[in-house]
Amino acid sequence: MSLVLDPAAQDLLFREARTANTFTDEPVTDEQVRAIYDLVKYGPTSMNQSPLRVTLVRSPEARERLVRHMAEGNQPKTAAAPLVAILSADNEFHEELPHLFPHFPQAKDAVFAERPVREGSAALNAALQAAYFIIGVRAAGLAAGPMTGFDFEGVRKEFLDDDHTPLMVVNIGRPGPDAWFPRSPRLEYEQVVTTV
């Protein structure tokens, strides 16, 4: 059975999509970011908790502050990318549950009253949303450069607060010269899928 999604879209989102390491200087607009979010917000999360939060780093001053916290190998590309997003998990996501999960409004207190429970759930579901976000960037015809090579605590203190946990930093833009490393191998179906 073949996939319903057009092969060109499959290539755009998956087969030809790569993690970009260089970018052109073409700006990424607020309208593009809004279109990305307005698409990926429909991706599922447990109890519709939607804990992902996105901090766009646009000003030169903020960019300089962020670059200081990046691993040495990630500093040049973060300094040069047209747009950088800090993706984080909101550990107080449960405050939105009466609105986001209206058929079980008591979930806020019945399920997520304890902070450690919220932190675990927020981390898992925000990571899931971060994957949707990367696919949304690709759907917009842009390239994403997601990275976890940075000082997490430094970024949290610099840009977030105690209720938000950074997950990744994503460089966003049109790919520049020599943007791609060689494609790394992937596991085959038989190596991943078990039928019981």
Side-chain angles (χ1 to χ4, degrees):
M1 176 179 182
S2 61
L3 298 173
V4 174
L5 188 66
D6 177 79
Q10 295 173 36
D11 288 343
L12 177 71
L13 300 178
F14 295 100
R15 284 191 290 262
E16 299 299 325
R18 308 288 292 282
T19 296
N21 293 287
T22 68
F23 297 90
T24 70
D25 59 2
E26 182 180 333
V28 177
T29 67
D30 288 337
E31 292 77 16
Q32 287 172 300
V33 177
R34 181 176 291 277
I36 291 165
Y37 176 74
D38 284 343
L39 175 64
V40 304
K41 69 183 179 184
Y42 294 107
T45 57
S46 175
M47 300 177 80
N48 199 34
Q49 61 191 247
S50 306
L52 181 71
R53 300 297 179 263
V54 180
T55 303
L56 299 178
V57 181
R58 285 208 180 271
S59 74
E61 298 80 16
R63 181 75 61 104
E64 188 176 308
R65 288 168 32 222
L66 176 60
V67 167
R68 285 197 305 260
H69 296 289
M70 301 303 295
E72 185 176 343
N74 292 333
Q75 289 178 353
K77 52 191 170 184
T78 302
L83 180 64
V84 182
I86 301 168
L87 305 187
S88 63
D90 182 358
N91 296 308
E92 297 298 310
F93 69 87
H94 69 309
E95 296 295 341
E96 302 292 338
L97 281 181
H99 167 69
L100 294 173
F101 205 59
H103 50 284
F104 184 27
Q106 61 272 35
K108 174 181 179 274
D109 298 313
V111 180
F112 295 110
E114 300 296 324
R115 174 74 179 234
V117 173
R118 292 197 305 274
E119 287 178 350
S121 194
L124 174 64
N125 286 280
L128 182 61
Q129 286 187 284
Y132 302 145
F133 183 85
I134 292 166
I135 293 171
V137 168
R138 294 171 173 179
L142 301 169
M147 301 166 291
T148 56
F150 62 92
D151 175 1
F152 280 69
E153 186 59 18
V155 167
R156 187 193 63 74
K157 287 181 179 178
E158 191 80 43
F159 293 96
L160 306 170
D161 59 32
D162 289 340
D163 291 331
H164 293 80
T165 303
L167 300 172
M168 66 182 68
V169 172
V170 184
N171 294 328
I172 303 169
R174 301 253 179 231
D178 301 316
W180 323 117
F181 293 146
R183 171 76 77 185
S184 295
R186 297 297 193 266
L187 295 175
E188 296 300 324
Y189 178 87
E190 294 75 17
Q191 295 174 280
V192 175
V193 176
T194 303
T195 303
V196 294

